[in-house]
Amino acid sequence: MVRRKKTIGRVVSQTMLAEDILDLRLETFLASDVMPGQFVGVYPAGADALLPRPISVCDADREAHVLRLVYRLTGRGTTEFALKQPGEVLEMIGPLGNGFPVEEAAGKRVLLIGGGIGIPPLYFTASLLSPEGTREYTGGRSGKASSITSVLGYKNIQTFMAPQFAEITDLYLATEDGSAGYGGTDLDALFEIGRRREGSETVADIIFACGPSPMLKAVKEYALIQGVPAYLSLEERMACGVGACLACVCKTRNVDAHSNVHNARVCTDGPVFPAREVVL
Ligand SMILES: Cc1cc2nc3c(=O)[nH]c(=O)nc-3n(C[C@H](O)[C@H](O)[C@H](O)COP(=O)(O)OP(=O)(O)OC[C@H]3O[C@@H](n4cnc5c(N)ncnc54)[C@H](O)[C@@H]3O)c2cc1C
Ligand code: FES
């Protein structure tokens, strides 16, 4: 359900996970029905107050009404969020976007591929789908996967959240500088997994991925070659976050019913798209 009215999140805690990467817990009723792959718009104060900053949901505790956001210090908005102390509030809107179709993963071998700041939303996905995960939904929208492999790509040894993924998934790490895991991209790591599991036809039955465009493009090609359905979460630049300004359009194979062009709004039609449908 998309709520377009602003609401409040009260800071429960804020800690630093790695250099420039913060872990923010907010008490908000938005935690009650958000799904993996959805995001919230967080408003800075002052001159930038009109434009919410899109931040993916990293985890949600429905009972405690606590939403977890993991974000990178980037510019004015995120720098302001980083200064918030427990008890202070942030204005927010959401849950926004469509999220990953987790119901399609029930009973299947799931592969999660994340790069950089695209890693946090995959944790909520893993937690809900993993047989060892702590999140359970009774609404009937999801069942557990048969297995989850996660392939996470980082720049360097600052492999934030990797220990948490290791608890609930079969984790493979890649770092660009080779300081941890495979030296190279997460796609390099993926091919290594393929080599190790010689004999099994494919590594997975379904892929969920989030990260920078070159990574998503490589995942799309990998999925097409493997003949495995893949869903990609795009990190397009956004402004309004609610479908009104067209700042976030991406190219698609299908024609949009309203505009009659090969476009989709990432904020409302996405951010998650079937790999076959999106042009990268
Ligand atoms: C669907 C989605 C989910 C995201 N999830 C996360 C997340 O979980 N963690 C995280 O660290 N970052 C995430 N981002 C990126 C995050 O939105 C930007 O880093 C953030 O908006 C930067 O704001 P700023 O004011 O600090 O930076 P500035 O550069 O000062 O921002 C100026 C303007 O540009 C927009 N902008 C700048 N960079 C981006 C970007 N990459 N994507 C969209 N808008 C941008 C801002 O919203 C703002 O309106 C996500 C982006 C999208 C589209
Ligand atoms: S950000 Fe305005 S339409 Fe998507």
Side-chain angles (χ1 to χ4, degrees), residues 237-249 265-268:
R237 280 186 90 87
M238 288 186 185
C240 73
V242 292
C245 73
L246 302 184
C248 64
V249 289
R265 288 164 298 181
V266 174
C267 65
T268 47

Side-chain angles (χ1 to χ4, degrees), residues 36 47 68 72 74 80 89 91 126 138 143 161 177 191-192 236 271:
R68 180 181 183 195
R72 174 176 282 142
T74 303
E80 187 188 315
V89 296
E91 282 194 314
T138 51
M161 298 194 71
D177 66 1
F191 287 118
E192 179 61 26
E236 219 59 48

Side-chain angles (χ1 to χ4, degrees), residues 123-246:
Y123 182 71
F124 191 17
T125 314
S127 194
L128 191 135
L129 288 174
S130 166
E132 287 89 38
T134 53
R135 302 294 172 225
E136 203 91 43
Y137 288 115
T138 51
R141 228 193 117 182
S142 163
K144 295 291 182 185
S146 71
S147 69
I148 305 204
T149 302
S150 58
V151 180
L152 307 182
Y154 299 85
K155 275 197 165 30
N156 52 41
I157 191 91
Q158 307 236 10
T159 53
F160 58 92
M161 298 194 71
Q164 279 192 279
F165 275 89
E167 284 169 11
I168 57 172
T169 71
D170 189 8
L171 171 66
Y172 293 81
L173 280 185
T175 51
E176 284 175 21
D177 66 1
S179 53
Y182 298 101
T185 67
D186 32 16
L187 264 291
D188 295 331
L190 199 50
F191 287 118
E192 179 61 26
I193 299 171
R195 277 193 289 274
R196 280 193 189 185
R197 295 188 186 171
E198 216 176 341
S200 66
E201 283 173 15
T202 55
V203 170
D205 305 312
I206 187 165
I207 300 173
F208 297 135
C210 187
S213 292
M215 187 206 95
L216 295 182
K217 201 172 173 186
V219 172
K220 175 177 169 155
E221 280 165 21
Y222 174 83
L224 287 176
I225 291 166
Q226 297 278 321
V228 174
Y231 293 87
L232 314 177
S233 181
L234 309 193
E235 291 179 351
E236 219 59 48
R237 280 186 90 87
M238 288 186 185
C240 73
V242 292
C245 73
L246 302 184

